[in-house]
Amino acid sequence: MSDEQQAAGSPERGPQPADQPRAKDDRARADRGKADRARDDRAQDNRARDERAKARDNRPRAEEGRAAGDRDSGGSDAAEKEKEEQSEQDREEREKEEREKEEREKEERERERERVTGRFKEHTRDPLAEEQGDDGPTDLAAASRARHSTRMLFDTGRDLNSFDRSFIQSAHIGDIHLRLDSRPSGAGMRSGPVPEDELRGLRRVHVEPQGYVRLRSALVARRLLVLGAAPGTGRTSTALSLLDEVTSGAGAEPGAGPRVSRVDPDGGVRGLAGLLSGDGAEDRRGTGYLLELALTRPGSLPPDAMDLDGLAAALDGCGAFAVIVVTLGSAANPLLTGRYGMICPPAPTQELLTTRLREKLEERREELADRTAAPDDTPAAAPDSGPDSGPRLDDLLTAAEELAQRAEVRDAVGLKDLRPAEAELQASLLAGHLLGDLSYDELLSGCRSLAAGQAQEWFAGVDRALAALPAAAADGGARRSGTAALFHPVAFRIALAVLGGTPHSTVAAAAHLLTWELSVQSDPDNTPARPLFCDDPESDLALSRAELTDGRVEVAGAEVGARLIWYRGSALPAAVLAEIWDRHFPVRAPLVRWLRLLSDDPRPHVWMRAAVAAGELSVRDFDHSYAELIRPLAEAATPRRRIFAATTMDQAAGHASHRKAVRKLVDDWSRFGTKSLRWTAAMALGYGNAAATTDDALDALARIGVRDDGDQLAAASFNVVRLLALPDVATVLRRMADWTHHRREAYQDLGLVTTVRMALTGVDEVPAAEPGSPLGDRGDWPLPLALAATRPELVGPMADLLWTALNTPRSKDVAMDALEALMRTAVRKDGTEWARPGLAALLPALAAEEHDRRRLDWLLRRMMNDPENPLPDAQARSLWWLAVPSPDRTGEEERHG
């Protein structure tokens, strides 16, 4: 309230009472207040005037002070600016250091990721990759295919020890003498007349080979015939038959002497010519002479063209005939290509067997009258037929031919073509069984002896021929040359038993290596000579009962056409190896050295076949094979030699007699063996025969894989994948899942690496996927896609394993690359369908969640943007709709995007 208001009275207070003294005092106080306010105003005015005057007086000093202040403030700003600039530099350096630190950390993380990825990629390489380079293809798939084809030559179901030669060789069944040894009991007649009884019997049973009429015409026209054939093919019978026919109407004087005679080979062609030109030539008119030349014997020289012309002139002069029988080979080639030479083909097998059967049954026709029925397992003969009745014999002959065509009998014989002696023996066996003298098992055992007899004939007497070599010259040259020439045909038969199904050049080269080893073993003091021109494909085929077929061979991962060589009979390879290993012990040392050489051959169709053959040899004497072959190769430095040893053990484990021993050996190696032995044990376990159960095999592989910080994780995971072709594949997938969830990182790595390797493995790399099986028919498919297409119940476990690998940091990059490789197998380069059915089964299970679909979308875009191999847009969309099928899309739309 203002003084005026106070003086006038406040309206809020209302009117004052009428009290004069109090009013006076109030007026007095009001006056004093006014006076005080007036005095204060005057004092305030005076102070204002003083301040303005003082301000006028202090203006120069203020301006001078401001100038000085301006100078002081300018220096402070410069210092502050310099300080700010230094702070900015420090801040930039700190930011640069932080950026560099972040970059270093990022590079370190990238290097660590690359190390982890590289470690997983290293574990998924094939065991032979270290020998072939990082980027080169490995040949385990080709080796697996070679193993499939080789195992057909050695039937593991065949009991190689079931044939008791000492018992059956001297067995007599009625009036049938079973002789399984093809060698003659005595030295035989070297020269002399051929009895008429023998010629009559020959006319009755001889089967004419193809081209027989042409041979006879040549003999009649030239009076001399050089007949070339392999031993045992009936060449001597054919020669005698020819001489019997041409001399029967040649005008020989009755009673003048023998019509057909054998000539001592020691005299040779010149000796026979001299005999015909000497005294008594007229008495030899219309006669025939058989001369067998042993040109394969070292030191033997073939007659030249002048010698043959001289003999032909002597024969013409006295009106006689001669047949010279020679063995096919390089030494006989000049004779067989000359004017007198011709090849003698073997007699047809079926006609030969029928003729021999009829002969044997006719010999016992009288005995047939006392029999009213045949054995239970063969067709019965007509019971009401008499001994002179034709139908009874014909019915029995029909039954014998049907029996010979049984699968068991044909497999027991194991020969495509029968030679005369073999046909006679089989006819005796069939007749004996039909007449009740032989049981069915004895019949099969006797049939198996045919191949064994052929093998014994091939290798018998080689040492005797070696001992008959001429004495060595001063430099030993004659001895060395003869040794090599003698051993080459023998080495070729052994090489063909081991490498059957390869090109002829491969077998010939291996035969030369073995010839060298045999020669060194026979004469270690001298260096053997190399026979350079002893190879003759036609002679090799004839002397080894072999044949050439059109086929294909793998060369550096590509198939090319080739002429493949095989034995003409599935029983011959095993028979040859059994003969060599069981009956000729000194040959084992050079044979082992030779097999070691083959184990180093880079061609899979060579070293794998040699490994399978070594396994068959091991069955016959495991102790010797283990000490000399298996254990040294199992500890070798090169992976190929260790795989060779593992394959050898697996082949031995295929025989029930050796399965337990091999399993014990592999188990010990997996537990207590050296690093090389554990590696070899892992490869043996991958075949599926080296452990009693699948769980036992997986336990052993896990022990090998996690030991020594996963040093052999690659070998262990590789062989776990090989077990996925077994019928118990669900057990393998379950164990893989258990490993990925194991608390130890080593087991987790085993499960992850095995999963990625499974995605990268082809069906043809898995040994248990035999041709003809559902997996074998998809040989070029990835293994998981083939399993998904053939066994839908396995899709879930496989998808779970792949999902885990894709979502685990240390394996996701390699797993992503593996998934890309799988997806690129949907169609082939030519646009035809490939493994699309397998992807259609597996991809939906891998893209069940949104995160999985985003990852799949990213992968497809990466494949489309690949600069080297871009995926076409249509294929990418097709793969997307395989993984994320839509009910509104038709199958044709999904296929073409």
Side-chain angles (χ1 to χ4, degrees), residues 464-630:
R464 291 196 296 272
L466 181 63
L469 286 175
D475 60 351
R479 179 83 176 186
R480 294 198 304 269
S481 177
T483 301
L486 176 67
F487 285 141
H488 180 72
V490 175
F492 188 88
R493 292 167 184 144
I494 299 174
L496 182 57
V498 174
L499 301 176
T502 60
H504 178 270
S505 60
T506 301
V507 177
H512 279 285
L513 289 177
L514 184 54
T515 299
W516 177 276
E517 296 294 341
L518 293 173
S519 301
V520 170
Q521 184 74 15
S522 175
D523 190 8
D525 295 332
N526 295 311
T527 302
R530 288 268 187 171
L532 300 180
F533 299 99
C534 65
D535 292 290
D536 179 16
E538 293 183 1
S539 300
D540 291 339
L541 295 178
L543 295 177
S544 300
R545 301 185 72 164
E547 63 180 345
L548 289 174
T549 60
D550 292 328
R552 304 188 69 81
V553 64
E554 290 194 40
V555 179
E559 286 192 348
V560 295
R563 293 283 286 170
L564 309 181
I565 186 170
W566 306 82
Y567 270 119
R568 289 187 60 82
S570 59
L572 286 173
V576 168
L577 295 183
E579 174 70 18
I580 288 296
W581 205 249
D582 292 347
R583 298 173 62 87
H584 305 281
F585 185 82
V587 180
R588 291 189 179 187
L591 190 59
V592 166
R593 293 195 299 268
W594 178 66
L595 288 173
R596 289 183 180 182
L597 290 175
L598 295 184
S599 70
D600 294 326
D601 195 292
R603 294 167 294 181
H605 60 269
V606 173
W607 65 262
M608 178 55 75
R609 281 177 165 84
V612 174
E616 288 297 308
L617 294 177
S618 300
V619 174
R620 313 204 68 85
D621 189 351
F622 192 81
D623 175 66
H624 184 273
S625 298
Y626 176 77
E628 299 295 331
L629 194 61
I630 295 177

Side-chain angles (χ1 to χ4, degrees), residues 223 276-277 281-282 284-285 310-320:
R223 294 192 176 273
L276 295 174
S277 302
E282 292 296 331
R284 296 183 178 88
R285 181 171 298 278
L311 177 58
L315 290 168
D316 186 61
C318 64

Side-chain angles (χ1 to χ4, degrees), residues 62 230 888:
D888 298 331

